[in-house]
Structure formats: C-alpha cells, structure tokens
C-alpha cells in the first residue's frame, strides 16, 4: 500500500507539473466545444430529415424528393423521441398511418408543406412538442468521450511505453515494487485526472452554453467513470509490451482515428451504411457516447442504458485481465 | 566461509551475440569488487544478471549459498549504467519516492550527507550536471541501506574532477563495510577503489585477483616507454614490446639490463620514461591491444 501511494503521488505530481500537457488537456476540448457551438449556432440544415416507421410504400413522389433525407426507425416511439428533440423534422409512421410534426419546429412546417404536395400519401396529421436540441447539446458527450479516449490511451498507454523505453520501468524493477502496484497506481491516478478534467470541461463550458440535461448528473457521472476505467484499461493493454514510443504511438493512433469518426462524436451514425454501424459497435467509446446522449438528451435512467453499461464493464474486465497477464517491465 | 555472491558458469546471449561466455567468480563480503573491461566486454550484462534484472541462459548466481529470491531486492542497491527517472520531481521527491518502495529505508539526511546532495536537493531531477546526477543515482541506490551496492560505470562520462569527487564518496561508503560491485573501463579507477578485480573482454574473464598481486605476477619491474620513431629495426629483448599511441612499451623483469641493452644499441634515451606498470599495461599485455583500440575495434555499446 505504501508503495502504491508512493507511485500514485509521484504520477499525480508529474501530471500537475507538466504544465504544457495539463493546459492542453483542458483547453483543447473547451476550444472544440466553443468552436462547434459558434459554427453551428443559428444554422438551419438545408436537408430535411424525415423519420420513417414501417415499410415505405413504393412509387411515391415525396419519398424521392431531393433535399429530403429519410431515416427509418424500428419503432414509432424512438422516432417520436427524435422528433421531440428536433433531430428529425417529421415522422411518417406507415404502420399507424400517421405523420407527426413538432409544433415548435419551423423545419417541420416546411416538410409538411412538401408532404402536402404529394396527394398520394394519405397519412393523418399528429403533433408533438419538445424543445430543440442544439447540435452542441448533442456534441458535448462526444467531446467528453474524445477527451477520455485521448487522455486515457495517451496518458497511460503512451506514457508507460515511454517509461519502458527510457529506463524508468527498469529502475522500478530493481526495487521491491510489484507490477500490480505500479499498474493500479497508474490506473487510479489517471482515473482521477480524467474525471477531474471531464468535470472541468463540462461545467466550464456549461456556464456559457447551458447544455440540455434531461437525465440525472449522478447517472452521467457513473457512466463517465465507467468509460474512463474502460479506456485506461485499454491504454494499459497497449502499454504492456511495446518498447518504442513510435510503434506504440502509431498503434494507438490506428485505433483512435477510426474511433473518432466511427463512434458518432461529430455526426450521427443514423443513416450511415450498416457496415459502419456494426464497426462502431466494436469501440467502447461508441457505447459511452450513446449512453451519455440518452441520459442527457432523452432523460434515460441507468436502466435505459444497461446495454452500454454491460458492454463497458465487460470490456474493462477483459482489458484489465489481459494487461495484468501481459505486462512486462522491460 | 560461504562467499556473499557466487557466479557459476554464467552464459548470456543476445540473439547471436554471446555477451557473457561461461564465466565464474566469487565476491566476498565487505569488499569492493571490480568488473573491468572495455565497452562491449559484457560487464553490464554480467552485473544485471547478478542483480536478477535479466535471466541467464545458463549458469547460476548464489547469494550466501542460496538461489536468489524476491527478498534479494530489499538487500541490494543498484545504479544502472543507463537509467531514467520520472520527470517533474525534485531530487528530494525522487529520493522519497524510492524510499517508500522499500520496507525500511535509511534517513534521508544521511543519504544527503553521504552523497553530498545538499545543494541540489530541491532541484528538478532532470536539471543536474553529470556528476550531480550520478551522486543522486547513488543516493537512490543507497536509500534502502543495502548490504550490496551494484554500480555500473558510475563515473563514465564525468570530468576528472567529478570522478575524483565520486571516488571520495565511494571511499566513505566503503568505510561502512558495504559490499560494492563496480564496473568500469577505467583501469585507474579499479586500481584505486577495488580490492579485487576481474578483467573481462568479449564475454570472457582474462584475469582475476587483487590488483597489486596481478601486477606483481605479470610485471617484475617497470614499464619503459620509448617514442617509436627513435627505434630503428628490431630490439632483441627478452620480452615483446607493445605499440601504443606512438610509443613502444617494454615490460621487462630487469629494468637495469633493459636500459643497458638500449644504450648498447645506440637508441636515444631523450624520450624515455620509466613507469610503474598499471592495470592499463596489464590489459595491453593480456590482449595485445590497448583498451581504446579494443573499444573502437569491437564497436561495443556506446549508448
Ligand atoms: N539488449 C541487448 N541486445 C542486444 N545486444 C546487446 C544488448 N545488450 C548488450 N548487448 C551486446 O552484448 C555485448 C556485451 O554488452 P554489455 O554487457 O553492455 O558490455 P559492457 O557493459 O561491458 O560495455 C555487446 O556486444 C553488446 O552489443
Ligand atoms: Mg556497460
């Protein structure tokens, strides 16, 4: 325990005193959030998004209009949820024979006018209400996820490889320190650091942007913690063997970049090719972002995100066990 | 009495390179033991196997007659040849960090005093001169108050003044009756600090024993050096001269007779010098080349 604390404290000091990294860790995500908030403020999408439920009837003119994007949903409930938050402009429920628009959405009004021009489609009009979800509300879980991904994979994976390469690990190997003590100290130190930076980033930008928060902060905190643990464990796994920073850095990048674009950080994966959606399921970060969005935007409780929780927990355990087995000082 | 450390038929390869080639020796308690040899001789490999940092391919290390176990790490202090420390810590914080890794440790003040770390104790551990850094690393090695100290080329790369200073620190530590195992490629260092030495080259042991006894055994008298240019043709002497740095080094049993012989041959004696032989000369005698030549020849590690 004494040995664990010694390494833990030293690692914390190292992080806090490494000013350049410290500031970057906080500034980059904040910069992204404000940048995107500014870029997307007040713009209306030129493309109207129409959610559909059930089999689309063939040969209808409306269904082939340009500037309309159709996204099919398995259930009417899910589609209406999207409509409430202005993520789609209209929902056509062919099963129920209804169409829905959001009373608070001007896009829906235009989409309805377009629909009216196609007299063949006979659907009954229904309305829902709900506040608009800005892009930024939707984007913020993505940025937190991205911060987790970088901070954990680089701060653990890359740093331990650097320690190994320049001989820090060898120096520890010459002492009674056990590898499990070293690993847990790295894990917990990084865990606290990333929790801290995530909270600072969220609250810091929330002061100015007032994100939509329909769920509970406790649930969000729990899911975030789990995601952090999961990514630190993944970082540890990367760090177990590599001796060169270049190789480790390269491999971490090979993993990070697909995760950046396939995990729905910047754009929704709805309507993307099925192969891409399946690929996105492989990345733990996708499950975090999805859960965080459900909590923040749809007001889901923990029971609403059980799948994500299970996936993240399982991945964490697998990564941790594999790291403990594979770890080498040299 | 059982020796403190016993190295038996140690062999270690790195791929095709045979770094250590079947060597055996013992280290007795309380002495300063030197592993001497040029770069690439296999000193680091040998000492790191002894520290149980690396595993040997074959052979064994016995500590007080027994195989080395986990507790060994509490008993030894190690200063690696190439090492790194966690960044953004001061010297004091670094020492505290390492002190906490051991069950018991020596008071920090004592370490600071022995290794003269006073001036630099609050400095960033990455911002030290060569000599200061080596003293800090020695402090880390000493922190657990170990019985055995392994020092791998602690003075390589230091200027002469810093080396002398480091020697003084080692001498103080020797007074505490610690067993020190030191590697070096400086013959004078081994001669000055070590009671017993092993001379290594290309993974093998060339000679071992007390430095004085070794010199006695190999050189009866003094070493005579002559500028090469002063000597024309062969010298018909009772020993083979060795060429080094433009000088001819003649190691003879009878100094008087050799000088008379040189005079008889009409060789000018203006550039002559007569020295007591040192371990450098012994190395030359054993390998036929000087330490520097071997170092450059094998292209050993210069990391
Ligand atoms: N990690 C390694 N991988 C491959 N070869 C090595 C390694 N370490 C040392 N060697 C080789 O083993 C030989 C002995 O090296 P070393 O023990 O470092 O010698 P010394 O410490 O006497 O300079 C050298 O030829 C060196 O190149
Ligand atoms: Mg060496």
């Amino acid at each position: 325990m004494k040995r664990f604390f010694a390494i833990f404290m030293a690692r914390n000091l190292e992080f806090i005193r490494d000013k350049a990294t410290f500031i970057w860790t906080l500034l980059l995500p904040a910069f992204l959030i404000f940048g995107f908030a500014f870029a997307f403020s007040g713009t209306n999408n030129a493309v109207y998004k129409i959610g559909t439920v059930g089999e689309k009837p063939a040969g209808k003119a409306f269904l082939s209009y340009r500037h309309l994007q159709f996204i099919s949903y398995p259930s009417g409930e899910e589609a209406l949820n999207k409509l409430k938050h202005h993520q789609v402009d209209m929902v056509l429920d062919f099963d129920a024979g209804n169409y829905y628009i959001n009373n608070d959405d001007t896009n829906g009004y235009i989409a309805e006018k377009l629909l009216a021009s196609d007299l063949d489609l006979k659907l009954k009009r229904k309305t829902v209400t709900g506040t608009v979800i800005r892009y930024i509300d939707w984007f913020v879980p993505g940025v937190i996820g991205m911060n987790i991904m970088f901070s954990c994979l680089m701060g653990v994976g890359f740093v331990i490889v650097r320690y190994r390469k320049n001989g820090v690990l060898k120096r520890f190997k010459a002492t009674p320190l056990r590898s499990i003590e070293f690993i847990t100290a790295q894990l917990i130190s990084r865990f606290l650091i990333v929790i801290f930076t995530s909270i600072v980033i969220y609250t810091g930008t929330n002061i100015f942007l007032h994100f939509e928060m329909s769920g509970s902060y406790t649930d969000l905190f729990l899911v975030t913690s789990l995601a952090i643990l999961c990514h630190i464990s993944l970082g540890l796994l990367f760090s177990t063997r590599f001796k060169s920073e270049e190789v480790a850095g390269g491999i971490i990048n090979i993993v990070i970049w697909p995760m950046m674009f396939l995990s729905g950080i910047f754009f929704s994966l709805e309507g993307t090719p099925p192969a891409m959606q399946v690929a996105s399921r492989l990345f733990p970060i996708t499950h975090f972002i999805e859960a965080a969005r459900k909590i923040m935007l749809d007001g889901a409780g923990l029971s609403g995100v059980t799948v994500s929780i299970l996936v993240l927990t399982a991945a964490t355990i697998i990564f941790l066990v594999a790291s403990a087995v594979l770890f080498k000082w040299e | 009495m059982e020796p403190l450390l016993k190295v038996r038929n140690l062999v270690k390869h790195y791929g095709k390179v045979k770094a250590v080639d079947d060597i055996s020796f013992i280290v007795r308690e309380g002495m300063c033991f030197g592993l001497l040899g040029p770069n690439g001789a296999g000193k680091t490999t040998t000492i790191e196997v002894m520290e149980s940092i690396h595993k040997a391919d074959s052979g064994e290390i016995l500590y007080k007659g027994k195989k080395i176990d986990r507790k060994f790490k509490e008993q030894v202090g190690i200063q690696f040849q190439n090492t790194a420390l966690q960044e953004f810590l001061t010297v004091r914080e670094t020492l505290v960090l390492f002190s906490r890794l051991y069950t018991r440790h020596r008071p920090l003040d004592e370490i600071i005093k022995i290794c003269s770390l006073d001036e630099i104790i609050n400095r960033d551990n990455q911002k030290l001169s060569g000599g200061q850094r080596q003293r800090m690393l020695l402090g880390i090695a000493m922190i657990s108050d170990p019985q055995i100290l392994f020092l791998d080329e602690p003075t390589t790369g230091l200027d002469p003044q810093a080396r002398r200073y480091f020697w003084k620190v080692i001498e103080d530590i020797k007074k505490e009756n610690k067993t020190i195992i030191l590697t070096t490629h400086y013959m004078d260092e081994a001669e000055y600090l070590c009671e017993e030495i092993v001379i290594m080259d290309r993974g093998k042991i060339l000679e071992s024993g007390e430095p004085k006894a070794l010199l006695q055994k190999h050189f009866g008298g003094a070493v005579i050096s002559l500028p090469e240019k002063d000597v024309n043709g062969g010298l018909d002497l009772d020993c083979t001269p060795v060429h080094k740095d433009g000088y001819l080094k003649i190691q003879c049993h009878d100094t008087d007779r050799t000088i008379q012989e040189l005079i008889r041959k009409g060789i000018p004696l203006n550039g002559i010098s007569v020295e007591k032989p040192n371990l450098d000369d012994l190395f030359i005698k054993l390998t036929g080349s000087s330490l520097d030549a071997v170092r450059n020849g094998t292209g050993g590690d210069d990391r």
Side-chain angles (χ1 to χ4, degrees), chain A residues 115-257:
Chain A
L115 177 67
S117 69
D118 189 345
L119 296 170
D120 277 356
L121 268 175
K122 298 198 183 342
L123 296 169
K124 268 186 278 166
R125 184 179 199 271
K126 300 260 163 118
T127 57
V128 297
T129 51
T131 51
V132 66
I133 301 272
R134 294 163 303 169
Y135 175 76
I136 200 66
D137 295 312
W138 183 87
F139 182 56
V140 80
V143 175
I144 301 282
M146 197 169 77
N147 176 52
I148 290 175
M149 209 162 72
F150 274 98
S151 193
C152 295
L153 296 187
M154 289 298 178
V156 175
F158 196 69
V159 165
I160 293 183
V161 172
R162 198 178 66 212
Y163 283 169
R164 181 178 293 111
K165 183 188 169 194
N166 60 22
V168 173
L169 289 192
K170 185 175 170 188
R171 191 65 199 73
F172 285 137
K173 189 190 181 188
T175 72
L177 181 68
R178 285 162 201 265
S179 53
I180 193 76
E181 293 163 339
F182 176 79
I183 289 178
T184 36
Q186 299 298 318
L187 193 150
I188 295 182
S189 159
R190 184 50 45 163
F191 178 76
L192 294 180
I193 288 166
V194 181
I195 276 281
F196 170 76
T197 52
S198 299
I199 292 175
V200 169
I201 292 163
Y202 183 93
T203 49
T205 47
N206 192 38
I207 295 172
F208 303 98
L209 297 170
H210 307 291
F211 305 123
E212 166 80 15
M213 181 58 183
S214 325
S216 99
Y217 279 109
T218 321
D219 292 352
L220 183 63
F221 180 81
L222 287 176
V223 171
T224 309
S225 305
L226 189 57
I228 294 172
L229 273 184
C230 184
H231 285 84
I232 293 175
S233 313
L234 182 59
L236 275 178
L237 187 59
F238 282 120
S239 76
T240 51
R241 289 296 172 92
F242 296 116
K243 236 189 143 158
S244 119
E245 288 161 279
E246 288 74 23
V247 174
I251 291 194
I252 289 175
N253 273 318
I254 288 176
V255 175
I256 280 187
W257 289 103

